[in-house]
Amino acid sequence: MSDQIDKIYDFQKIEKQWQDIWDKEGFFLAKDQSEKEKFYCLEMFPYPSGRIHMGHVRNYVIGDVIARYKILRGFNVLHPMGWDAFGLPAENAAIKHGIEPSKWTYENISSMRVQLKKLGLSYDWTREFATCDLQYYSLEQKLFLKMLDKNLVYRKKSLVNWCPECETVLANEQVETGSCWRCDSEVVFKEMNGWFFRITNYAQELLDDIKTLQGGWPDRVLSMQKNWIGRSEGVELDFPVEREEGKFIRVFTTRQDTLFGATFISLAPEHPLCLELASSNGRYDEVNEFVKRILREDRIARTSEDIEKEGVFTGAYASNPLNGRKMPVYVANFVLMEYGTGAVMAVPTHDQRDFEFASKYNLELVVVIQPDGEILEPSSMECAHEGHGTMVNSGTFSGLDNETAKIRIAEYLEEKKIGKRTVNFKLKDWGISRQRYWGAPIPVVYCDTCGMVPLKEKDLPVVLPEIEKLTVIGRSPLADISEFVEISCPCCGGVARRDTDTLDTFVESSWYFLRYACPDEKEPVNYEKVSYWLPVDQYIGGIEHAVMHLLYARFFTKVLRDLDLIKLDEPFKKLLTQGMVCKENPATGRSEKMSKSKGNVVDPDKLLEKYGTDTVRLFCLFAAPPEKDLEWSDDGVEGAFRFLKRLWKKVVSSPGKISNVSCEEISFNDLSGIDKDLYRKTDWAIKKVTEDIEDSYHFNTAISAVMELVNQIYHSDKEDCNNIVLQRAIRTVLVLISPFAPHIAEELWKFIGAEESIL
Ligand code: ANZ
Ligand code: ZN
């Protein structure tokens, strides 16, 4: 066999051959039981857009190196792949080209699967599924019903953007300066019913368990999650409205130490008191006009720090419960209804936003915290003093340091029953209803007699009906399919209607990693199998998923645990966020993320044809460490190709020397000169590659070490070194390079006389 090998490096032939062998022999089938220690390696699954791009290639190759390395180290490895297949692009394609979303999606999956297979990735393809498979989404419907039963899902009205012309809900991104992106008519707010997951029930646990992820997850991602959850400790307290007996404005503050310096109140424009107070003070028109204008503005922009602060006086006054100060009540654009109570006690001397607002409307400034070694004078302040200091102008609390005052004032307010300590989270419940076709139908019906009725598990699945041509998006396309909508009530048998929304596609990606442990089970998850395989030991994906996907997946894991379906607190032990693939944009001359619109993409298929997957893999891994951006370079690809050819040439050109020599132990001390150098370099490379992979996934430096060893082999071989030492070095090179360039490694391994796969 070994002497039949081609002298030239025919990567096309070799790569196909080895992919077939791995496949036939089932090398990557994960066993649900094993003596070996398990390792679960997972890359975020792709959306089946149609073609693989270099970002995918990089992501999956990084995962493949880790999986193959763990196989070599004797682990029982699970390395699955599937498709995040519901979502809007399929619907858009349906509208544009009149093709069925399911047809479009499954065709894309087929062609992307072919592309992925050409990369020689170590997937257990028997566990593959798409989230639009009936099997998968019907099990998701089952989970939904279980969550509904445990009161973890509920329905409520919330404000949405509504275009009265198109009769459709618009996402925030579809509202352009207050108008509909499609027809330009004025967008209004509408209360709409929708389903929500009670993720806020888990806010504290999601925050606390971040501790357990430290070291395994990038700090940046953990702090993004922390901020997103946004826990604040503070006080809620009531300010009586003057001349309106029994009416109070409740505010949330984290700085009750500044209460004596509160000189006015700011309400969110959505706050019900705005118009109420304005009308009893004869200022309805002015306030109403302001409120309407602000509500039309982008809600995201309102939260940004540098937004111009503006507001309007309601005509009403509240009184400060500690010192009786008369405080004008304003409506302010930067106060949000969704946070705290939607009302703020404004302290312009110690809060920068309030300072800017007060400067604009000439409102009173009272200093209540003096920083050390400095006397603040309201008339000469240029910005708020938000830091620490000693309390002044604060009655019996004057003289305390402000941190102590925070505690004392909170106690005092509770004692006097003016307020109470509370904890606030920025995290909101997760709205999951979408007015879309290509998603999982929500398994409930509405009956005129019984109201909302969840389906029984035996009535599942709610099959997504086929649809030939979609015409609009926004309004639920399912609402137009009467055979789908009309149903008899499971409770009373009377006339009922199905829910015509579908689930947010983030729901599917919140539990797919559990499903890979048991893809054929009748139930959504199997307790034993999930206990065996989970948590994912290494998860790999983009930083853009730092909050939503990664937080939702953590939430789902805890919910399934509390439903007694699994025993698991956290789904992902380690997380690697890979950098982007960049290339010079011909228009700007700058290096930018590869994208079609910038004209700087490289087609993976063309590269594979020209160089083969081992070269492409090696380049992606060698050009940058995984978490850094990768700068595309044609020279770099050529360089990787040259290295593999050089390795090939060395091995195939010295068959007599390295084949069939026995692998007997030799003593280092008996060797001389050049042999010692090669022996030593070999050991050094083993250590270096192992450490680079284990400690930091620094594949680039690991690959350099292998290159150095190959150089040493050339060098020593020129001087006719000891064959056993030479063979030892070459065997080592092949094993070390095999996670990175597995096909060439297997082929040369066979060439030097091995009967079994290098795996
Ligand atoms: C008085 C005060 C004085 C405040 C001071 C700050 C500094 P975090 O830490 O993010 O929780 N606030 C409360 N509800 C708000 C809302 N709906 N929209 C905008 N701002 C709101 O922020 C809590 C602080 O944000 C609260 O404490 C409140 O202003 C403001 F020197 O109260 B503070
Ligand atoms: Zn009924």
Side-chain angles (χ1 to χ4, degrees), residues 656-673:
K657 289 188 204 161
I658 52 174
S659 302
N660 313 318
V661 288
S662 77
C663 216
E664 70 201 67
E665 273 303 316
I666 44 171
S667 163
F668 180 74
N669 291 326
D670 298 340
L671 298 173
S672 60

Side-chain angles (χ1 to χ4, degrees), residues 447 450 489 492:
C447 165
C450 314
C489 170
C492 70

